[in-house]
Amino acid sequence: MSDATARLVLAAAAALMATTAALLTPAAAVEHDYADALSKSLLYFEAQRSGRLPYNQRVRWRGDSGLNDGLEQGVDLVGGYYDAGDHVKFGLPMAFTVTMLSWSVLEYGGAMADAGETRHALAAIKWGTDYFVKAHTAPHELWTQVGDGDSDHYCWQRPEDMTTSRRAYKVDEEHPGSEVAAETAAAMAAASVVFRRAGDAHYAHLLLHHALQLFEFADKFRGRYDESVRVVKSYYPSASGYKDELLWAALWLHRATGRREYLDYVVENAVEFGGTGWAVSEFSWDIKYPGLQVLASKLLLEEKDLSPRHRAVLEKFKSNAEFYVCSNMNRNPGGADRNAGRTPAGLVFVRPWNNLQYVTNAAFLLAVHSDLLSSLGHDLRCLPHSPSNSSFSAAIEAEDEAEVVVLGAGDVMAFAKSQADYILGSNPARTSYLVGYNGGGGADLEGGIRWPRRVHHRAASTASIAEERGFIGCLQGFDSWYSAGEENPHDLVGAVVGGPDGEDRFSDHRGAYMQTEACTYNTAPMVGVFSRLMELQEEERRSRRQEEDQANQRDL
């Protein structure tokens, strides 16, 4: 073994030991029931439905709502999802939710089928895409929001009792919105692949038709959507701009159609749009760079006839994807400036408000990238240079070798699992941040796993319309339900709440909305993560059974 190789091995070993030490918690030994977590996560989306609920609705404490959405503007906008604990239908996070649900099915649909959850996963996607079809009323027109966040937050009512404004807002040629149009295109393109694989060719074709038009609209009429729909600025502003969404949508259209023109679009715009230059630690409803970089990395494995130019650009995307993975694992040499934050117990920590959205997205991307590394037979090299640095493309200098951290595919998956397990209760607070999940044991028992009981959510915190049919007024809800210290009358099963603070502390109060509010885009990536972990768990169990059988045969 050379001195350089020895230093690499020692650096990797030290990094893994540090990771293991950081993740030791009082509940770390729990073997979680990922199948149960998957089932509950899909149930959550039924609690977030707007519109006329179907006969097979499983969340029975919800009723029909928003049945006049779009009426004032002369368009049918009934349906879709409420994004969180309020009742505004925000187009950008809703589309991202559907994209991530679809990606989860595309990556791990086999495991979902084994768990008997395919029907529920497809229903969760279709509830969103049916709404997008309605909202895309012309080739260059997309209705992107229903409701006003300011007036909505003034009231605490059940969605069935809404008295707040249901005004609808759109983007069009004169008022462009490239982020939301492109993300909706990505969602419909990804979903079209899902339904084509499921055997619904007609619906898949319909979704792809809309996706193609929306991408053309987003690209031809470029502009920030929060400049056209200004009421969204206080809630879902576009910090990263629209260029990441354009690249992201083009990659999904390439996957849905196989057309080289969309891959050419990505390659030709990679530098100008930041795809090869932006190495970041955050993937979210706003910042798509790591997601598109991981997606682009997969093309290096899946596409067999890439030109040298295409391959060179995709390799740069892959380098940025690796920066993201290393950053979230806290393994990029260079300290805090090049790595995501971490709580004392090892949870990825980006910012105090709804931090778990970044954790769930990271867990998903790391799981996908781990599978990619395994397929390629490659290790992950966390480098001392930034991927966008010009020195990155050159050979690493010998004196820098000691700083390189080398990790295997299994190490990446183990870290993704550690984040999922933290969410499920392997944390100092022994709290499951997936509502309704208790690890297969008794809930709220002494020393057991508990979950948030006062989720910041209007419907869950208020008496069901089926139980109390009397109208609950705007301010009455604050007095009778929001301000009450009691537990919510309904568990928002499957919701991933905002989660603990940077010191692993959690306050289970409705007023602590940064920690107790749940969002659809928190849970969506976990549908894929739980499916993959369930699959790995079953593989481990089969391996143990085989080993036991072989041992028993030897004893005989």
Side-chain angles (χ1 to χ4, degrees):
M1 181 183 294
S2 69
D3 290 343
T5 303
R7 289 196 299 270
L8 284 174
V9 172
L10 288 173
L16 287 174
M17 289 175 65
T19 298
T20 302
L23 293 173
L24 288 177
T25 69
V30 172
E31 182 179 12
H32 288 287
D33 187 344
Y34 300 118
D36 182 53
L38 170 63
S39 178
K40 286 179 166 58
S41 66
L42 286 168
L43 182 64
Y44 163 64
F45 293 96
E46 297 189 21
Q48 295 301 110
R49 285 172 170 171
S50 179
R52 192 172 299 282
L53 302 183
Y55 73 93
N56 58 354
Q57 169 82 7
R58 294 179 293 166
V59 180
R60 306 302 294 181
W61 47 268
R62 279 295 323 282
D64 299 339
S65 63
L67 299 183
N68 293 320
D69 284 356
L71 182 63
E72 181 181 341
Q73 287 75 30
V75 59
D76 178 7
L77 296 177
V78 176
Y81 286 112
Y82 303 121
D83 72 305
D86 51 25
H87 303 140
V88 182
K89 295 193 294 199
F90 292 104
L92 183 58
M94 192 193 307
F96 180 68
T97 295
V98 172
T99 306
M100 294 307 295
L101 282 172
S102 299
W103 196 0
S104 293
V105 173
L106 293 175
E107 294 291 338
Y108 306 120
M112 292 181 203
D114 292 342
E117 293 293 342
T118 300
R119 177 168 58 88
H120 296 138
L122 295 182
I125 295 169
K126 193 171 186 294
W127 195 266
T129 52
D130 282 351
Y131 174 77
F132 297 147
V133 170
K134 288 183 175 183
H136 185 212
T137 45
H140 297 162
E141 181 177 86
L142 176 67
W143 294 87
T144 184
Q145 181 171 323
V146 178
D148 176 355
D150 291 340
S151 64
D152 183 272
H153 283 65
Y154 181 72
C155 293
W156 195 265
Q157 291 176 288
R158 300 176 295 201
E160 297 84 2
D161 290 333
M162 281 188 292
T163 56
T164 53
S165 169
R166 301 304 290 171
R167 179 182 172 183
Y169 302 85
K170 68 177 180 178
V171 292
D172 53 28
E173 293 181 10
E174 288 74 33
H175 311 90
S178 294
E179 296 95 339
V180 66
E183 183 61 59
T184 308
M188 299 180 95
S192 74
V193 183
V194 170
F195 285 100
R196 186 171 70 239
R197 290 185 182 179
D200 193 342
H202 174 75
Y203 192 61
H205 178 76
L206 173 67
L207 296 182
L208 186 57
H209 170 74
H210 283 277
L212 293 168
Q213 286 190 347
L214 282 165
F215 178 75
E216 190 265 345
F217 167 43
D219 187 43
K220 184 176 181 179
F221 299 94
R222 296 180 186 177
R224 291 173 59 107
Y225 96 115
D226 56 6
E227 291 294 331
S228 296
V229 183
R230 292 184 177 274
V231 293
V232 80
K233 269 188 174 290
S234 298
Y235 302 93
Y236 289 101
S238 177
S240 67
Y242 55 76
K243 293 178 180 179
D244 51 337
E245 276 87 7
L246 289 174
L247 293 174
W248 171 248
L251 276 179
W252 278 113
L253 280 167
H254 174 260
R255 187 163 183 172
T257 65
R259 295 185 195 170
R260 184 55 62 94
E261 65 188 88
Y262 292 108
L263 182 56
D264 290 341
Y265 179 95
V266 173
V267 170
E268 290 166 5
N269 292 286
V271 175
E272 181 186 350
F273 286 8
T276 56
W278 277 66
V280 297
S281 302
E282 171 188 331
F283 176 50
S284 66
W285 56 265
D286 179 29
I287 301 178
K288 309 298 163 44
Y289 286 110
L292 71 91
Q293 288 156 356
V294 169
L295 198 61
S297 301
K298 289 172 63 65
L299 288 176
L300 291 169
L301 174 65
E302 297 167 351
E303 291 286 326
K304 304 303 181 185
D305 59 345
L306 292 170
S307 69
R309 179 167 177 257
H310 283 90
R311 185 167 295 278
V313 172
L314 292 178
E315 285 287 355
K316 292 180 180 179
F317 275 100
K318 181 172 177 285
S319 296
N320 285 334
E322 290 172 345
F323 177 92
Y324 172 85
V325 173
C326 292
S327 173
N328 278 271
M329 295 182 70
N330 198 27
R331 293 294 168 257
N332 274 323
D337 290 343
R338 303 185 70 249
N339 291 283
R342 189 75 61 82
T343 69
L347 181 72
V348 170
F349 193 80
V350 177
R351 55 180 57 90
W353 196 322
N354 190 21
N355 179 65
L356 285 186
Q357 66 173 305
Y358 311 109
V359 179
T360 60
N361 280 314
F364 180 84
L365 289 189
L366 265 63
V368 172
H369 198 73
S370 171
D371 291 339
L372 176 62
L373 290 171
S374 181
S375 298
L376 293 171
H378 291 174
D379 287 330
L380 172 67
R381 290 167 60 83
C382 301
L383 304 172
H385 301 298
S386 171
S388 58
N389 190 303
S390 60
S391 64
F392 180 79
S393 59
I396 299 174
E397 299 295 334
E399 60 266 28
D400 292 330
E401 283 291 309
E403 298 184 57
V404 177
V405 177
V406 180
L407 302 172
D411 302 321
V412 178
M413 185 63 76
F415 186 79
K417 179 179 181 296
S418 76
Q419 300 301 291
D421 287 351
Y422 186 110
I423 290 171
L424 293 179
S426 294
N427 56 63
R430 298 187 69 86
T431 295
S432 168
Y433 298 112
L434 181 80
V435 177
Y437 176 83
N438 62 18
D444 292 334
L445 298 178
E446 185 66 29
I449 295 174
R450 55 189 64 82
W451 62 76
R453 299 289 189 167
R454 299 169 183 82
V455 178
H456 182 94
H457 190 273
R458 287 159 175 75
S461 68
T462 311
S464 169
I465 190 74
E467 298 170 355
E468 187 171 315
R469 294 189 174 277
F471 174 77
I472 296 177
C474 173
L475 299 181
Q476 179 189 351
F478 278 112
D479 295 336
S480 302
W481 300 100
Y482 177 83
S483 301
E486 289 82 4
E487 297 176 353
N488 288 353
H490 315 289
D491 278 327
L492 192 64
V493 174
V496 175
V497 297
D501 65 13
E503 299 297 323
D504 300 294
R505 298 170 302 202
F506 180 74
S507 177
D508 186 15
H509 296 286
R510 278 182 286 277
Y513 48 83
M514 289 195 293
Q515 295 189 327
T516 59
E517 189 167 22
C519 300
T520 57
Y521 45 87
N522 294 18
T523 296
M526 294 309 292
V527 170
V529 174
F530 292 144
S531 298
R532 181 58 174 138
L533 293 178
M534 179 184 65
E535 188 175 46
L536 291 172
Q537 188 177 62
E538 185 55 35
E539 290 174 2
E540 292 173 0
R541 289 171 177 170
R542 283 199 300 268
S543 178
R544 286 198 298 266
R545 287 195 295 267
Q546 290 174 356
E547 291 175 358
E548 292 170 359
D549 291 343
Q550 291 172 357
N552 291 335
Q553 290 175 1
R554 286 195 298 269
D555 292 340
L556 293 175

